[in-house]
Amino acid sequence: MSAPRRLSRTLPLLFFLTAAAGCQSGADGLGTVKNTDIKAPSSKVEETFGETGTEVTLLLPRGASGVYEGAARDVRDGAALSLGELGNGQVFVKVIDVSGGAGAVPAAVSAAKARNSALLISYVPPAVTSGIAAMPSDQRPPLVNLGDDVPATAGNVYNFASDELDSALEGILAAATGGHKKVMVFAPRDFPPTDEMRLADAIRAGGGTYAGTARYDLSDAAAAEAVQKSKAQLQQADAVVILGKSVIVPTVAGAIKASGQGNLVLIGTSAWPSQAYGDPAVAGATIAMVEPDDASLIADRYKRHHGRTLSTDAAYGYDAIAIAAGIIRVKGPAGLTAENLTMKTGFRGVTGLFRMTPGGNVERKLSLFTITGGKLNLLGAAPKAF
């Protein structure tokens, strides 16, 4: 699993944003949630958030210490906050530990099915999620996967997390709109070849030219050298994407600018560390990402209750529960169907405007920002509808 990520008109999630914004009870709306201590209970204790209504099953792995850690903990706590604010006594969340790996999956899923669970939400390693996704769709509840993408060939499986490539591709699309369609990519040494292929295919499918990917190591000298060795490729490009989440990103940007090539559009990603924004080397870069204000709707309450900053994983946990709660509230327990989960008008949550597709992917509308004055400044807000 990756490290924690940092930030229909008939059934829109606008309703849950309104409910969340208006929820200011003394317990931050968590009065119906049990076992919401910051430290999770031992593996011998089974958690349930809420007491009545339709079950939503949350599959998470506990760490070696017997408690939920890292991103799994964030997902759990985001789900708890969402249930407390939006469950309205109609939904409860049963948290199931699947740290036993793929071997623990069949029994856990069969038990959830026997309990009439309406939805599975998982944040587990891809091999484990793949085992769930491969089960025939009539033998398990629908699955919303908050971890790394897995094949959705069995149907009723929805990969929910957006990644750095989604951000990069939106930035590339914006550059292409301005006439910059020849794209060169700089990526960390460990950038997966499958992701490189996905990026290249998307650039070509959009009518652009893929000028290649150069890999850089995580040191200033190595990053500058990677740019120096890629001058021939750079000369074929009019847009440059820099992938990565380290403080080496400004070094790459600075070396590109020092090459002297004009008419280059610099494209960043949502993975860039915020401390990089203050470096003059990245000034003028464009980044497509979810509006920070969307997450701010719950960020303060999350921090007050859990004692730490809201992460992207926690926001995904919040939105996944909000989808279930919203549909059940309007359509009833039987409403969590493929048709309702994939409605074309989508949902608006703390992770922006999004919709899930029958093919198992998520489409998320992003806003476009530019870095000026050491901070993000809005260039174009995300569309309000699909």
Side-chain angles (χ1 to χ4, degrees):
M1 297 296 296
S2 58
R5 295 164 286 215
R6 295 292 173 197
L7 285 152
S8 114
R9 292 302 174 193
T10 55
L11 276 175
L13 285 203
L14 288 172
F15 66 79
F16 88 68
L17 291 182
T18 302
C23 184
Q24 298 293 335
S25 69
D28 290 332
L30 291 169
T32 61
V33 180
K34 299 187 296 184
N35 296 328
T36 54
D37 308 77
I38 290 176
K39 182 177 179 181
S42 72
S43 58
K44 295 181 180 180
V45 177
E46 189 174 80
E47 283 186 292
T48 299
F49 302 151
E51 300 177 351
T52 59
T54 302
E55 177 183 331
V56 171
T57 307
L58 182 58
L59 303 173
L60 297 173
R62 283 194 170 100
S65 63
V67 300
Y68 295 112
E69 302 170 345
R73 180 187 179 191
D74 287 353
V75 169
R76 163 191 173 271
D77 291 347
L81 181 64
S82 184
L83 190 284
E85 295 185 340
L86 308 170
N88 198 31
Q90 298 182 48
V91 183
F92 71 92
V93 176
K94 195 173 187 68
V95 187
I96 302 296
D97 172 34
V98 288
S99 55
V105 165
V109 174
S110 295
K113 176 76 171 176
R115 294 191 304 268
N116 294 319
S117 173
L119 186 70
L120 300 174
I121 299 172
S122 71
Y123 184 92
V124 291
V128 179
T129 310
S130 294
I132 305 170
M135 297 177 67
S137 59
D138 62 350
Q139 295 180 19
R140 56 164 168 78
L143 171 66
V144 174
N145 168 37
L146 307 186
D148 297 335
D149 287 3
V150 299
T153 51
N156 235 356
V157 173
Y158 309 101
N159 294 301
F160 192 72
S162 295
D163 58 18
E164 184 182 19
L165 288 194
D166 296 319
S167 172
L169 289 170
E170 286 290 326
I172 290 168
L173 178 61
T177 302
H180 295 259
K181 298 183 178 182
K182 301 174 182 178
V183 184
M184 169 77 182
V185 180
F186 284 87
R189 181 69 62 187
D190 60 356
F191 184 57
T194 52
D195 285 351
E196 180 179 350
M197 184 180 301
R198 174 186 161 196
L199 188 58
D201 289 346
I203 291 170
R204 297 186 186 107
T209 300
Y210 173 59
T213 294
R215 307 299 180 103
Y216 65 86
D217 292 308
L218 299 182
S219 73
D220 289 331
E225 182 182 10
V227 176
Q228 180 67 25
K229 290 181 177 180
S230 304
K231 277 192 172 182
Q233 286 173 291
L234 267 176
Q235 290 173 357
Q236 305 301 315
D238 56 19
V240 182
V241 178
I242 303 177
L243 302 172
K245 56 184 177 182
S246 80
V247 292
I248 301 300
V249 162
T251 301
V252 179
I256 291 171
K257 290 184 176 181
S259 70
Q261 183 175 343
N263 196 39
L264 277 177
V265 171
L266 183 62
I267 302 168
T269 78
S270 57
W272 281 17
S274 58
Q275 57 264 42
Y277 300 161
D279 194 302
V282 301
T286 57
I287 299 179
M289 61 193 300
V290 172
E291 286 268 13
D293 286 348
D294 288 340
S296 70
L297 289 163
I298 66 166
D300 288 345
R301 294 194 301 282
Y302 182 89
K303 188 169 186 177
R304 282 202 308 273
H305 193 76
H306 297 295
R308 61 190 188 280
T309 301
L310 179 75
S311 70
T312 302
D313 293 303
Y316 285 150
Y318 188 99
D319 275 359
I321 295 299
I323 292 171
I327 292 177
I328 289 171
R329 185 180 306 155
V330 177
K331 298 287 188 178
L336 283 168
T337 63
E339 180 182 7
N340 288 331
L341 288 167
T342 63
M343 54 192 172
K344 294 182 179 179
T345 42
F347 307 91
R348 179 172 293 279
V350 298
T351 58
L353 176 67
F354 60 87
R355 65 183 177 189
M356 295 179 289
T357 71
N361 299 316
V362 65
E363 298 175 0
R364 191 170 268 111
K365 293 295 186 181
L366 305 177
S367 295
L368 191 67
F369 297 84
T370 186
I371 299 177
T372 54
K375 62 181 181 179
L376 292 174
N377 292 279
L378 185 64
L379 278 179
K384 299 299 183 184
F386 283 99

